[in-house]
Amino acid sequence: MEKSIQTKNITVKVFRFNGDTDVLPYYKEYKLEVSQEDVVLDVLNRIKWEHSGSLSYRRSCRHGICGSCAVKVNNKGVLACKERVFDLIDLFGDELVIDPLNKQRVIKDLVIDKKDFWDKYDAVQPYLVADVEEEPEKENLVTPDEVEKIADADYCIQCGACYYSCPVIEVNPEFIGPAAFAKAYRFTSDNRDDAKIERLETVSQMGSGVWDCVKCFECAQVCPKDVNPIDKITRLHQQTFQEGVAESNVATRHAVGFKHSIEQHGFLDEGGLVFYSEGPLGMVQHIPEAVNMFKNGKIPMPWNLPKSKNLEEIKKIVKISSTAKF
Amino acid sequence: MAKKLRYALYTGCTAKESTPELLKSTLAVAEKLGIELDIIEEASCCGASHLQDFDDHLSLVLNARNLCYAESREAPMVTLCNTCQLNVSMTKNRLDFDNKLKDRVNQDLSEVGLEYKGVSDVKHFLYAILEDYGLENLKKKIVKPLKNFNVAPFYGCHNIRPSSLHGKNNGGENPYVPNSLDQLIEACGGKPVDYEEKNKCCGFHADLQAPETANKLSGNALTGAVDADADFMVTPCPLCHLNLDVKQKKAGEAVGREVNIPVLHLPQVIGLALGIEPEKLGLNHHVVKAVYF
């Protein structure tokens, strides 16, 4: 018996812009019949070959490895050559809107200028820094356990889907961003690398570094290669403490302050935590807010601070389970 | 419903301090719906993703300990804060899939006579209502529908992303087009409004070190809701609430707008529709007052 191919009719709206002729970008609508075998790249190819030869988009390997073809469909970052259209129909229905990864950086249609992405990628020295002897006497051994630590970070194909989904990038152009952080981790966790400290110093700068991450998990959600950049960002945070790179500032004291608060109360002493993080001078900026909170019953008096039952047990856990120092 | 719902309630810190109205309204709603909530008073802070930046092992042991107290109550854990939900379920996920790690954590827990087994599920109160109590059952109890109100749902990151972690405890919510809060607003008689920022980040976790970033993200969310003609916003996360309510003035300034929109906690919205008096839901604690109620 012949297996039938299931098809569906969809409307695709594609972002179009040609700087030579268009004053403003616009969406061009196409009606297509798609099968369960089609990926987004098939849709783009058919539009280009059958409807509009002037449509521009990047594509190369068609195997999910070159990272060229990332676009957004209904605001979800996808690799066009990997994402099945039927899966998108399940998520969004039969009207799909295809956008470039970033509308402000469009060169033409779906092609963007990724210079900002590459500049930040370069900033973390995305290569092994090591003095390798030309004729080594023995192998440079890396154990399977050590490989496992960096494996998923090494799967990154620089498609930019995470970078252009990161909300911090949108409001803080200095932020290095998830892809480059994952790459930095890939080398800070490689025992052959000699630039660990230098890399950690780069990624822990205030304003551009890991402390400016808002922990929204957009990068983990969007990554088509399961690199899980936020996990690598967390590990970079931990490494800055482990390697003594972390400087005392509002962000590092905030992280450490949780331990102190938990040790003292079990639950947080929220006001105490802000004080510990900011110091007396930094507290001044919070006064208007604190007054407002106090007026509305949002700051308990010191004698009413919540304390966990079995606090002694928590104190003991903090004592025996602590592994980090600052 | 076949049998009475019973949960071990992990309040988190914020519901006990800067958003007391969240705990108050949760308990009032649970009582009205006949849901038993046994508060885990032995619990500690979840680390809020910040202790995790400093000491991974300590945060794992503390969260495993919190889960032990749900297990000893022989009940699933219910959380009130998206970030608690994230950190507790991330711990659970890592321990349940890595026996070596679980053994190492249990070795520490055995020093205080505890053992993490992995038998209690953990879900946010939003999904306990939606998945376990059921919207149809809730609808039957609505006596004061929020008619004529346009309500902007604000989902908060840590209940919906990453979907690979949350999927089995949030009804498979689509992080790009979430609709649980929308459904809940509708069940309570309100009209959910759609806006671009409803599944975006409020910036809370960078509040201290990068206030400009946090304020702009919150400002975008607030103005998105206002421009969608919302009368008020609703969120299941007390950390989002702090940024959107307590810091609303600064957030508005960061995006060059004067904003004035009340932000309600999820159980407050349910409570109002169930006919619970506003005082019992702690509406007086808000900085931007919900003047309609």
Side-chain angles (χ1 to χ4, degrees):
Chain A
M1 205 173 71
E2 200 177 309
K3 205 176 157 191
S4 67
I5 293 180
Q6 203 196 339
T7 64
K8 287 178 185 173
N9 291 312
I10 58 167
T11 303
V12 185
K13 293 180 175 172
V14 183
F15 181 96
R16 302 295 306 261
F17 179 70
N18 180 349
D20 293 338
T21 53
D22 302 329
V23 177
L24 287 172
Y26 61 99
Y27 286 93
K28 179 95 176 143
E29 202 175 295
Y30 305 94
K31 302 227 181 264
L32 298 173
E33 190 182 3
V34 291
S35 82
Q36 75 259 43
E37 299 185 339
D38 283 328
V39 292
V40 174
L41 186 58
D42 294 318
V43 168
L44 293 174
N45 285 341
R46 275 176 55 198
I47 292 172
K48 186 171 179 72
W49 296 336
E50 295 166 19
H51 299 272
S52 176
S54 66
L55 177 64
S56 296
Y57 50 98
R58 284 199 178 102
R59 79 280 192 203
S60 180
C61 77
R62 209 233 173 273
H63 290 289
I65 203 67
C66 76
S68 308
C69 66
V71 291
K72 282 187 181 172
V73 180
N74 294 40
N75 230 5
K76 177 188 195 288
V78 302
L79 267 191
C81 70
K82 189 183 175 205
E83 193 78 13
R84 285 188 183 277
V85 181
F86 268 34
D87 289 344
L88 291 170
I89 296 171
D90 282 348
L91 282 179
F92 301 116
D94 58 10
E95 187 177 301
L96 301 178
V97 182
I98 306 183
D99 279 307
L101 279 180
N102 181 310
K103 290 180 197 165
Q104 278 91 49
R105 303 193 64 86
V106 169
I107 296 171
K108 183 170 181 287
D109 299 333
L110 302 174
V111 177
I112 63 162
D113 174 5
K114 274 171 79 175
K115 183 177 189 303
D116 58 336
F117 174 88
W118 293 116
D119 283 350
K120 284 155 180 187
Y121 194 69
D122 286 347
V124 300
Q125 302 185 75
Y127 42 83
L128 193 78
V129 175
D131 228 352
V132 182
E133 287 174 51
E134 276 184 30
E135 292 170 30
E137 285 174 14
K138 59 181 175 67
E139 275 182 278
N140 211 339
L141 281 181
V142 181
T143 64
D145 275 357
E146 281 163 346
V147 174
E148 203 175 308
K149 267 198 286 183
I150 58 171
D152 55 351
D154 207 27
Y155 296 150
C156 175
I157 55 171
Q158 300 95 43
C159 69
C162 64
Y163 180 84
Y164 294 108
S165 298
C166 172
V168 181
I169 296 293
E170 284 175 35
V171 297
N172 171 10
E174 298 304 311
F175 189 56
I176 290 174
F181 287 141
K183 186 55 73 181
Y185 168 84
R186 184 251 168 273
F187 290 107
T188 59
S189 304
D190 188 326
N191 67 349
R192 300 166 300 172
D193 190 65
D194 292 333
K196 184 171 189 174
I197 301 297
E198 204 182 315
R199 294 180 199 283
L200 289 174
E201 282 168 356
T202 304
V203 301
S204 59
Q205 296 291 315
M206 299 303 283
S208 59
V210 287
W211 293 107
D212 283 61
C213 166
V214 290
K215 304 175 188 295
C216 66
F217 282 73
E218 293 274 7
C219 56
Q221 185 68 44
V222 75
C223 178
K225 304 296 280 185
D226 290 334
V227 168
N228 197 356
I230 174 78
D231 174 63
K232 309 302 169 286
I233 291 172
T234 304
R235 288 175 196 284
L236 285 173
H237 280 117
Q238 293 162 5
Q239 288 178 352
T240 62
F241 288 108
Q242 287 157 8
E243 300 297 329
V245 171
E247 285 173 10
S248 178
N249 58 41
V250 64
T252 54
R253 288 192 299 268
H254 186 230
V256 178
F258 272 77
K259 175 179 159 177
H260 297 312
S261 211
I262 291 170
E263 194 171 22
Q264 282 169 29
H265 309 276
F267 287 107
L268 283 190
D269 165 6
E270 294 175 335
L273 177 67
V274 177
F275 187 79
Y276 180 85
S277 313
E278 291 280 19
L281 273 178
M283 275 312 267
V284 176
Q285 59 180 314
H286 297 290
I287 290 174
E289 235 160 66
V291 170
N292 239 337
M293 289 177 76
F294 185 75
K295 276 198 297 202
N296 289 294
K298 286 178 168 289
I299 298 182
M301 297 311 262
W303 52 88
N304 279 333
L305 272 182
K307 274 207 190 307
S308 304
K309 212 171 126 186
N310 298 7
L311 186 56
E312 287 311 311
E313 198 177 286
I314 295 170
K315 284 180 193 286
K316 190 166 177 191
I317 291 281
V318 172
K319 202 169 160 198
I320 61 173
S321 300
S322 287
T323 57
K325 282 199 173 66
F326 185 61
Chain B
M1 261 171 311
K3 61 173 190 171
K4 189 175 172 174
L5 293 174
R6 185 176 158 267
Y7 300 96
L9 175 63
Y10 179 59
T11 64
C13 305
T14 316
K16 282 182 174 259
E17 288 178 71
S18 50
T19 59
E21 68 275 10
L22 174 60
L23 184 55
K24 225 182 206 180
S25 55
T26 302
L27 296 177
V29 165
E31 193 191 344
K32 193 89 175 176
L33 296 179
I35 299 173
E36 191 185 331
L37 296 179
D38 186 352
I39 297 182
I40 309 176
E41 299 287 4
E42 301 91 337
S44 70
C45 168
C46 74
S49 305
H50 297 290
L51 178 65
Q52 282 75 0
D53 286 343
F54 176 54
D55 193 332
D56 185 52
H57 181 67
L58 177 61
S59 70
L60 277 176
V61 180
L62 287 168
N63 279 308
R65 179 183 167 276
N66 291 337
L67 277 159
C68 286
Y69 283 102
E71 295 183 350
S72 66
R73 283 167 169 83
E74 295 181 351
M77 179 191 274
V78 77
T79 59
L80 301 181
C81 167
N82 290 21
T83 298
C84 295
Q85 176 65 30
L86 173 82
N87 286 301
V88 179
S89 56
M90 254 166 67
T91 299
K92 181 173 170 50
N93 198 47
R94 284 173 65 188
L95 299 185
D96 291 353
F97 287 96
D98 186 344
N99 280 330
K100 243 164 79 182
L101 188 65
K102 188 163 99 175
D103 289 347
R104 195 172 155 221
V105 165
N106 269 334
Q107 203 181 335
D108 286 8
L109 287 174
S110 69
E111 298 280 328
V112 293
L114 295 172
E115 186 194 354
Y116 170 77
K117 299 188 186 76
V119 292
S120 280
D121 237 349
V122 47
K123 63 168 67 172
H124 189 283
F125 189 65
L126 164 63
Y127 299 105
I129 295 284
L130 227 80
E131 300 281 302
D132 301 346
Y133 191 85
L135 274 188
E136 290 311 311
N137 290 320
L138 180 67
K139 278 183 196 163
K140 287 178 206 154
K141 304 243 169 150
I142 302 295
V143 293
K144 279 180 90 175
L146 302 167
K147 263 192 235 163
N148 308 325
F149 283 116
N150 291 340
V151 187
F154 189 77
Y155 282 82
C157 302
H158 294 167
N159 244 358
I160 58 175
R161 283 183 294 268
S163 53
S164 55
L165 174 72
H166 297 300
K168 68 177 166 46
N169 286 322
N170 73 1
E173 185 102 79
N174 175 354
Y176 294 98
V177 207
N179 72 354
S180 60
L181 268 179
D182 291 71
Q183 287 179 47
L184 209 116
I185 291 164
E186 246 167 0
C188 292
K191 184 175 168 249
V193 302
D194 199 18
Y195 63 114
E196 207 185 309
E197 293 82 7
K198 75 176 183 180
N199 57 347
K200 295 284 190 310
C201 180
C202 74
F204 178 87
H205 292 279
D207 262 4
L208 290 185
Q209 63 270 33
E212 308 80 9
T213 294
N215 287 334
K216 276 185 188 162
L217 295 182
S218 283
N220 287 342
L222 288 160
T223 51
V226 169
D227 293 344
D229 207 18
D231 297 303
F232 59 90
M233 296 173 83
V234 58
T235 178
C237 179
L239 307 183
C240 296
H241 191 272
L242 284 171
N243 262 20
L244 299 173
D245 179 53
V246 173
K247 292 181 189 272
Q248 188 170 118
K249 194 165 175 281
K250 274 189 187 166
E253 283 167 6
V255 295
R257 292 266 296 268
E258 200 175 311
V259 190
N260 185 23
I261 182 168
V263 185
L264 271 63
H265 298 276
L266 163 80
Q268 290 178 319
V269 170
I270 303 173
L272 287 166
L274 291 173
I276 302 172
E277 303 88 82
E279 308 82 70
K280 283 195 180 163
L281 299 169
L283 283 170
N284 53 317
H285 286 293
H286 293 209
V287 169
V288 181
K289 301 292 179 206
V291 286
Y292 323 109
F293 306 107

